[in-house]
Amino acid sequence: MTPRTASAPSLVDYLSDVPVNPGPVSISVTPPIPGNDELANAAQLPPNGLQAALGKAASRLPTSGADPATHIKRLQQAISALPEHKTAGDAGSDAAIHMRAFLGR
């Protein structure tokens, strides 16, 4: 056993059959309900990393009923760049369009 391993704390006590939780059983949280103005303002902001990534990923989804092998070949041959959305609203709208096509709605 290396000195580092020998000095590491044991986790055996934490893997017992009876969990110990000194905190409350649950925490009641009231979710925030943003107003229309707040949502409109947020939609005009630049997309954050997650919003940008979801917008780009959704653009590569196949449409409902598409042959997966054909779709993959089409993606491999595509020279088009991934979309760069200017606003969070644009990223969300574009992702929603692609998701509806993917789900056949």
Side-chain angles (χ1 to χ4, degrees):
M1 185 179 300
T2 67
R4 179 176 181 250
T5 305
S7 67
S10 172
L11 299 176
V12 172
D13 294 337
Y14 297 102
L15 301 175
S16 67
D17 291 337
V18 181
V20 177
N21 180 2
V25 174
S26 66
I27 299 174
S28 297
V29 178
T30 303
I33 301 173
N36 290 337
D37 289 343
E38 187 177 358
L39 290 174
N41 290 337
Q44 295 307 311
L45 295 173
N48 63 30
L50 178 61
Q51 292 163 332
L54 290 173
K56 290 176 182 180
S59 74
R60 297 304 190 235
L61 288 171
T63 55
S64 178
D67 175 54
T70 303
H71 180 70
I72 290 170
K73 287 179 186 177
R74 188 173 24 247
L75 288 177
Q76 291 169 336
Q77 296 170 353
I79 56 172
S80 63
L82 291 170
E84 292 294 332
H85 301 98
K86 301 290 184 203
T87 67
D90 291 344
S93 295
D94 197 28
I97 290 168
H98 289 288
M99 284 299 299
R100 282 193 295 274
F102 175 69
L103 298 171
R105 296 182 185 164

